[in-house]
Amino acid sequence: FANATVLKNFTIPQTVTSIGEGAFYEDSALTEMYIPDGVTDIKSYTFYGCTNINKLVIGKNVKNIGDYAFYNNSSLTSLNIPEKVASIGASAFNGCSQIKEIIIPDSVTELGEYAFSSDSNATKLSIGSGITTIPSYAFANCSALTTVTVPNTVTTINAAAFIGCSSLNEITLPFVGQSRTATGPESAFGYIFGTSSYAGSTATKQYYYGRTASSSTATTYYIPTSLKSVTITGGNILYGAFYGCSGLTSITVPDNITSIGNYAFAYCGSLTNITLPKNIMSIGSHAFLYC
């Protein structure tokens, strides 16, 4: 049925257990799709470019959603990912620009790059507890998101995972940067927003230790201008962690932190409130320079 132009409605029989790769590729006339419970895998490119699907029901036994499976389904306004889905491929829902909510169930353990990129009307994001790695560009250009909470079960957030989230006002993260043990450029707050500019971003030059702990280097990240409040629930606050984040007004760091690195909050010129942990033992030099 690939490239069909007149197939508006299609009922997949309940006996079907597999739909081939690219089966409905760029069927621009298709408006409704019901995937039966017998189907366990949605292959790559299956519904790629089906720009007029406005109603989608995914069977309850689907476990895997392939790469680009629903790419650019730009008329789809709601999405219900079944509780048995374990993996969502790269760009699986990229360009589903009318979806209002992105709810990833706890069953999902694998998420591909650009999985929900450019879902520009989504105002709600819920990340299930099964996710341990958020890949690069996973939520790129989700420009309507205002609040994001990344659960503590996440151990890695790769570069530019949230690039282009230009309406973001609050974010809660399990650590600063890429991981709880990250060093170098990966230890900077701006790492998850990337090094490319976008509308509604502020260029932020962040310093961090380079090859040694005696010299520093810098990278310019682009952080949403709208972002004001950050809560960190774990990890470390290293040298320059929030250096130059001049738009932030509130930062909360976790109780398990015992030290704050040099220049950690330097040049956070708008900072009016910061909550420090009760067990803090040391605060590095110039940690609050020009706050």
Side-chain angles (χ1 to χ4, degrees), residues 1-282:
F1 304 106
N3 302 110
T5 57
V6 294
L7 187 62
K8 293 184 178 180
N9 295 289
F10 187 84
T11 301
I12 300 174
Q14 290 295 322
T15 54
V16 171
T17 58
S18 178
I19 304 172
E21 184 172 309
F24 295 89
Y25 187 97
E26 290 190 341
D27 184 343
S28 59
L30 196 63
T31 58
E32 297 182 5
M33 178 52 64
Y34 300 86
I35 300 171
D37 291 342
V39 174
T40 58
D41 293 286
I42 299 175
K43 305 293 186 181
S44 299
Y45 299 93
T46 300
F47 300 99
Y48 180 107
C50 294
T51 55
N52 283 300
I53 290 181
N54 54 51
K55 185 171 184 178
L56 171 67
V57 177
I58 301 175
K60 64 182 180 181
N61 291 315
V62 169
K63 295 180 180 179
N64 303 296
I65 298 175
D67 297 346
Y68 295 89
F70 297 94
Y71 179 86
N72 201 28
N73 281 204
S74 54
S75 294
L76 191 63
T77 58
S78 64
L79 176 64
N80 182 24
I81 300 173
E83 291 292 337
K84 290 185 179 180
V85 171
S87 67
I88 298 174
S91 289
F93 297 98
N94 185 345
C96 295
S97 55
Q98 298 303 313
I99 291 175
K100 301 296 190 296
E101 295 183 345
I102 300 171
I103 300 176
I104 303 172
D106 292 342
S107 58
V108 176
T109 58
E110 295 182 27
L111 195 65
E113 290 189 353
Y114 295 93
F116 295 93
S117 177
S118 299
D119 293 2
S120 54
N121 274 289
T123 58
K124 179 180 179 180
L125 170 61
S126 176
I127 300 172
S129 61
I131 297 291
T132 57
T133 298
I134 298 177
S136 295
Y137 307 101
F139 305 103
N141 300 316
C142 289
S143 55
L145 291 176
T146 58
T147 302
V148 167
T149 298
V150 178
N152 289 332
T153 50
V154 170
T155 58
T156 304
I157 305 175
N158 284 325
F162 294 97
I163 188 174
C165 294
S166 54
S167 296
L168 201 59
N169 185 258
E170 300 178 18
I171 191 166
T172 298
L173 298 166
F175 41 77
V176 179
Q178 185 189 48
S179 69
R180 290 176 177 84
T181 57
T183 58
E186 290 84 7
S187 67
F189 174 67
Y191 179 79
I192 64 173
F193 297 107
T195 57
S196 298
S197 64
Y198 51 91
S201 67
T202 297
T204 305
K205 189 175 184 179
Q206 290 203 256
Y207 286 84
Y208 48 84
Y209 282 133
R211 294 182 178 179
T212 70
S214 59
S215 63
S216 64
T217 186
T219 296
T220 298
Y221 298 104
Y222 288 84
I223 296 174
T225 303
S226 58
L227 186 59
K228 303 300 179 186
S229 178
V230 176
T231 298
I232 304 297
T233 59
N236 299 308
I237 308 296
L238 301 181
Y239 181 107
F242 290 93
Y243 190 106
C245 294
S246 58
L248 298 181
T249 60
S250 176
I251 301 174
T252 301
V253 296
D255 283 341
N256 62 345
I257 292 293
T258 58
S259 65
I260 291 175
N262 299 343
Y263 295 92
F265 303 98
Y267 294 93
C268 290
S270 298
L271 192 62
T272 58
N273 179 64
I274 183 165
T275 302
L276 297 178
K278 61 184 179 181
N279 295 321
I280 195 78
M281 298 293 290
S282 66

